[in-house]
Amino acid sequence: MIRVERLTKVFRRPRTFTGPLGAIRTLLTRQYDERTAVDGISFDIAEGEVVGYLGPNGAGKSTTVKMLTGILTPTSGVVEVAGRVPWRERNANARSVGVVFGQRSQLWWDLPLIESLRLVGDLYDVPAPRFASSLKRMRDLLGLDDFLDTPVRQLSLGQRMRGDLAAAMLYEPPILYLDEPTVGLDVLAKQAVREFIVDTNRAGRTTVLLTTHDLADVEALCKRIILIDKGKVLYDGGIDALVSAYAPPRRLVVHADDGSHAYELTEGLEVPDLLAAHTIRDLSIEEPDLESVIKRIYAA
């Protein structure tokens, strides 16, 4: 469904100069500063996969998504989305993808949510029976009825995000890009968004590419992750394999009368001797999680 091969994006900007004639030199200069945002990445995503696309700020995640949607043209490399080159076939590509940016809304600020959804239906030429059926499904899955008639500017963040998800999937695209879809949401709103993504993927074989800093989203939704840093792919595979390969040792935490003590459960640790050294009130074992593994990889 998505093919990316040796994809590269380099941003160029004129070099700026200071001093009395700095503005004129900047205007007339032919010198440029270059920054490589995406550096030769390759991956394939099959129909129906839900893939986490992870990395720190500035790693190249959003730049990749913008090239997949056709907003940006690559410097070099190959991108195909559902058999199309996004920036060459922008209209056709736009009809095959839904996009949700957690920081930016695609809804009309002063219109009631229902009117924004009707406009989306008109823009994508959704026939009336299909629009009614799709809207009913969105209302049921996302609980829209309580605020359908409310202007978007008056919606809470969680309500607006549910409205954005409805707008992105109203015309039933086979591919969904989610860029920080749960940022700033409370626990209940996050759960509603996650359940919607799971149902959408299961019901329509929708392919989902998810970028997020909330690793709970990844663990709840994805079986595969692509980990990037400085525009390069560091890992592409299953979450369990990543944790197994890079996880720090489990830790035994001893809660004793003289405080809590943590010990790495490595070969050679004499647990009976260790326990005999404390007056124990409680014991617990800390298992490595995805967040600790990713922190360890980036710190290396």
Side-chain angles (χ1 to χ4, degrees):
M1 188 62 79
I2 299 173
R3 174 178 168 241
V4 174
E5 189 174 321
R6 301 184 306 276
L7 183 64
T8 299
K9 181 63 181 178
V10 178
F11 291 102
R12 300 179 70 202
R13 64 178 182 181
R15 184 168 296 171
T16 57
F17 296 90
T18 58
L21 300 177
I24 295 175
R25 289 185 65 194
T26 298
L27 182 63
L28 300 177
T29 186
R30 295 188 178 184
Q31 299 180 48
Y32 293 89
D33 292 321
E34 294 188 346
R35 181 178 68 85
T36 302
V38 174
D39 192 1
I41 65 173
S42 299
F43 59 81
D44 293 317
I45 298 177
E47 179 186 2
E49 277 196 280
V50 181
V51 178
Y53 193 56
L54 311 180
N57 290 331
K61 303 186 301 297
S62 293
T63 300
T64 303
V65 172
K66 289 175 182 176
M67 287 188 282
L68 292 174
T69 57
I71 295 172
L72 290 178
T73 301
T75 304
S76 63
V78 175
V79 173
E80 290 182 358
V81 177
R84 302 183 183 93
V85 178
W87 56 93
R88 291 179 186 158
E89 304 171 78
R90 288 182 178 174
N91 288 338
N93 183 69
R95 292 176 181 274
S96 68
V97 302
V99 185
V100 175
F101 291 101
Q103 305 284 8
R104 295 179 294 278
S105 178
Q106 60 187 310
L107 304 171
W108 282 264
W109 198 242
D110 292 313
L111 294 181
L113 175 58
I114 184 60
E115 296 303 326
S116 280
L117 297 179
R118 285 174 179 149
L119 279 170
V120 170
D122 290 340
L123 285 171
Y124 287 89
D125 300 319
V126 181
R130 182 178 159 201
F131 175 85
S133 173
S134 185
L135 179 60
K136 183 181 185 307
R137 179 171 173 269
M138 298 299 136
R139 289 166 60 184
D140 293 341
L141 287 176
L142 293 167
L144 304 180
D145 285 349
D146 289 342
F147 50 90
L148 266 178
D149 296 319
T150 304
V152 170
R153 57 185 164 76
Q154 295 179 9
L155 299 179
S156 69
L157 181 58
Q159 290 170 335
R160 181 180 62 75
M161 183 55 61
R162 282 184 276 169
D164 273 312
L165 282 167
M169 292 304 298
L170 193 65
Y171 48 98
E172 300 175 349
I175 301 169
L176 179 61
Y177 300 130
L178 300 172
D179 190 359
E180 297 287 353
T182 62
V183 64
L185 302 188
D186 61 35
V187 173
L188 292 178
K190 284 184 179 183
Q191 186 61 30
V193 169
R194 290 170 186 163
E195 289 176 355
F196 173 78
I197 296 168
V198 169
D199 186 89
T200 297
N201 170 254
R202 184 187 298 124
R205 293 283 297 164
T206 304
T207 303
V208 181
L209 183 67
L210 168 69
T211 76
T212 182
H213 290 293
D214 189 338
L215 297 181
D217 288 345
V218 178
E219 292 179 305
L221 298 169
C222 306
K223 293 183 180 178
R224 172 188 170 197
I225 62 173
I226 300 171
L227 195 61
I228 71 167
D229 189 24
K230 298 176 182 177
K232 293 180 178 291
V233 173
L234 301 183
Y235 176 83
D236 182 355
I239 293 177
D240 291 343
L242 178 70
V243 172
S244 176
Y246 294 97
R250 295 185 302 162
R251 299 202 314 165
L252 173 67
V253 181
V254 178
H255 304 279
D257 288 344
D258 60 343
S260 296
H261 310 271
Y263 303 91
E264 290 189 351
L265 287 172
T266 55
E267 188 175 348
L269 180 65
E270 297 291 340
V271 175
D273 293 344
L274 183 153
L275 298 181
H278 300 284
T279 303
I280 298 171
R281 294 185 290 107
D282 195 10
L283 294 172
S284 61
I285 292 179
E286 293 182 351
E287 299 282 352
D289 58 12
L290 182 61
E291 183 171 359
S292 65
V293 169
I294 290 179
K295 283 180 179 177
R296 191 174 193 184
I297 291 172
Y298 285 133

